[in-house]
Amino acid sequence: MRDHEVPDTVEARLAARLGLLRTEHGWSLDELSQRADVSRSTLSRLERGELSPTTTVLGRLCTVYGRTMSRLLMEVETEPPQLVPAAVQPVWRDERSGFLRRSVSPPHAGLRAEIVEGTLDAGADIAYENAPVPGVEQHIWVLEGTVEITVDRTVHTVRQGDCLRFRLRGPSHFHCPGPGPVRYALMIVLP
């Protein structure tokens, strides 16, 4: 790769897409910083690809832009095929929070649903301040372990084999109490 070429990675395309979204909305870094409650310097570093976003920061940006996280990540992928082999399913890891996210069935034009596999390390906590798209329908099926999910101020303990389903209109919180990690399938259906 030549020095002037931008690497063609998910991270590089995500950085470019975040910058383009801000420009499309006509917002300065300062205005986006206020709207998303993320520092201006962090936003600048994200858009330049110098920093990978945490789940919390990406969640805040998705809320400001009115997108699910999967939809935003799909926008930086090439056009998805109908068959998505396991080997090419996009995977994103937030080392800081202990969250691994695999887009099993990525968003696709004309489809309202997607499937995500999530894995949280024991002790992991992830809080989302708002629904990325108010009224988005979510079904969470725990495949292994246990997760505590707070929706509408109610804490639900979801164990292996259980499924929690709801329409998300506000904040949510995921906590893996341990002793091991939790692995779950999340189905997202846009309103």
Side-chain angles (χ1 to χ4, degrees):
M1 176 171 28
R2 296 187 178 100
D3 289 338
H4 65 280
E5 290 180 358
V6 176
D8 188 28
T9 64
V10 170
E11 290 81 9
R13 291 190 304 268
L14 179 58
R17 182 64 182 139
L18 290 173
L20 184 60
L21 280 168
R22 183 177 56 79
T23 303
E24 287 173 358
H25 282 80
W27 297 334
S28 66
L29 281 170
D30 289 326
E31 186 173 356
L32 178 57
S33 174
Q34 289 176 357
R35 288 175 181 268
D37 193 27
V38 176
S39 76
R40 182 189 191 285
S41 63
T42 296
L43 293 171
S44 178
R45 291 183 66 205
L46 289 173
E47 289 182 10
R48 290 193 312 266
E50 296 173 0
L51 181 68
S52 183
T54 64
T55 304
T56 300
V57 168
L58 198 55
R60 288 178 182 176
L61 292 172
C62 286
T63 298
V64 168
Y65 292 131
R67 286 167 164 69
T68 64
M69 195 178 299
S70 296
R71 180 115 354 234
L72 176 63
L73 293 174
M74 182 269 316
E75 290 172 3
V76 301
E77 289 296 315
T78 56
E79 185 163 329
Q82 288 185 334
L83 175 64
V84 186
V88 298
Q89 294 168 0
V91 176
W92 180 69
R93 174 124 178 115
D94 179 357
E95 295 292 340
R96 183 183 291 166
S97 69
F99 177 53
L100 178 84
R101 180 184 197 289
R102 173 184 299 276
S103 188
V104 176
S105 176
H108 191 280
L111 299 177
R112 293 182 22 220
E114 60 190 275
I115 301 172
V116 172
E117 176 188 16
T119 304
L120 290 173
D121 294 340
D125 273 302
I126 299 176
Y128 298 97
E129 294 176 4
N130 286 301
V133 177
V136 66
E137 183 180 334
Q138 295 191 1
H139 300 253
I140 301 169
W141 178 31
V142 174
L143 304 170
E144 297 174 25
T146 300
V147 64
E148 296 169 348
I149 302 171
T150 305
V151 179
D152 295 329
R153 298 185 195 139
T154 301
V155 178
H156 304 273
T157 300
V158 191
R159 294 176 176 83
Q160 183 173 339
D162 295 348
C163 182
L164 176 67
R165 54 192 183 174
F166 53 89
R167 287 199 183 277
L168 187 61
R169 292 183 172 84
S172 61
H173 181 260
F174 288 65
H175 170 68
C176 178
V182 63
R183 188 171 68 90
Y184 56 89
L186 165 63
M187 186 162 121
I188 301 167
V189 183
L190 294 175

